[in-house]
Amino acid sequence: MKRILFSLAIPALLTVVSCSKEKPVTSDTNEVTTTKDGSRFVLDTLNSNVEWKGYKVFKSENTSHFGTIKFESGDVTIKDGKLESGKFVADMASLSSEDLKNDAEKLKKLNGHLKSADFFEVEKFPTASYEITKVSPSAEGDYNTVLDGNLTVKGITKPVQFKANVAVNGGEVSIATEPKDIMREEFGVKFQSPAANGVIKNEVTLQIKVKALEKK
């Protein structure tokens, strides 16, 4: 899937990516097999985000909204020049549509709706997260790594796997996942608009883009 979304609505999806500040309501997780052994790299929140895309009726570019969610924190561990572990916490209050950025009234309306109890209940669940539980090298396709992890949104945790490109260059790490369809209803996002307004698809496409810098 080569669409550019997160081009990580959610959410987003996404991606990056939660941990509500409360205990998860539901948890169905991968066992964490990664460790914190190695060098710690801290997320560059200004240059990292989740890109999301949501759809109506038939999944197409003409029936979608897309935007971003910023990260509030995160880190990765690098061991012997390779990604060992990582966790990214997204600030759900930053969720915003990009396709409506030139229409202030529609943008405010959509963003407010996505943050309401109909969708992500941002006041109750201010963050979402993705914690890497396993890192596997891959020689197939355009991605060099497979990331297994636990995605938490609205206090609900589910195992989610991403294909990703991971690069470690000195004091900088970059991670870019393949756009991935997430079933929003599995995370308690079940709102449906009246049929006359267009049925909202269950799929939300997320893409996580992360830059992290070595902590000295």
Side-chain angles (χ1 to χ4, degrees):
M1 176 173 30
K2 301 298 182 185
R3 292 182 305 275
I4 296 182
L5 306 169
F6 55 169
S7 18
L8 128 119
I10 225 171
L13 233 324
L14 279 297
T15 156
V16 120
V17 79
S18 152
C19 280
S20 141
K21 293 180 180 177
E22 305 175 359
K23 293 182 179 179
V25 175
T26 302
S27 183
D28 176 17
T29 64
N30 284 322
E31 180 182 358
V32 179
T33 61
T34 56
T35 73
K36 296 295 184 180
D37 295 342
S39 300
R40 181 170 179 250
F41 289 64
V42 177
L43 203 69
D44 177 356
T45 56
L46 294 178
N47 292 290
S48 303
N49 65 20
V50 177
E51 296 180 346
W52 59 263
K53 182 175 283 188
Y55 309 87
K56 283 186 178 180
V57 195
F58 299 105
K59 186 174 177 179
S60 74
E61 299 300 317
N62 295 325
T63 61
S64 67
H65 288 297
F66 62 88
T68 61
I69 303 170
K70 297 177 181 179
F71 287 109
E72 71 168 30
S73 63
D75 58 43
V76 300
T77 302
I78 301 299
K79 183 178 181 180
D80 299 327
K82 297 180 180 179
L83 180 65
E84 170 64 18
S85 64
K87 182 174 182 179
F88 319 117
V89 180
D91 174 12
M92 294 302 293
S94 71
L95 186 157
S96 184
S97 170
E98 289 294 314
D99 61 290
L100 295 177
K101 63 183 179 181
N102 293 323
D103 189 326
E105 184 176 350
K106 288 184 178 180
L107 177 64
K108 182 179 179 180
K109 183 178 180 180
L110 177 61
N111 286 353
H113 195 199
L114 292 176
K115 295 173 186 179
S116 75
D118 283 342
F119 284 91
F120 298 102
E121 292 188 86
V122 170
E123 186 173 344
K124 183 177 181 181
F125 302 101
T127 63
S129 70
Y130 185 71
E131 180 178 12
I132 298 170
T133 58
K134 182 180 178 181
V135 180
S136 306
S138 175
E140 297 181 1
D142 299 327
Y143 296 88
N144 62 16
T145 305
V146 174
L147 303 177
D148 287 282
N150 295 323
L151 176 67
T152 305
V153 177
K154 291 187 69 174
I156 298 172
T157 302
K158 298 284 184 180
V160 175
Q161 184 182 84
F162 287 98
K163 295 179 182 178
N165 277 319
V166 179
V168 181
N169 296 306
E172 181 178 314
V173 176
S174 62
I175 301 173
T177 69
E178 179 183 37
K180 171 91 173 185
D181 282 353
I182 303 298
M183 300 297 124
R184 64 182 176 87
E185 292 185 359
E186 293 184 358
F187 294 92
V189 184
K190 298 181 179 182
F191 176 81
Q192 285 293 354
S193 60
N197 295 336
V199 176
I200 301 173
K201 298 287 287 185
N202 189 16
E203 297 95 327
V204 173
T205 308
L206 298 182
Q207 185 176 29
I208 298 171
K209 294 183 176 180
V210 162
K211 177 180 178 182
L213 305 175
E214 187 169 11
K215 185 174 178 60
K216 302 297 186 180

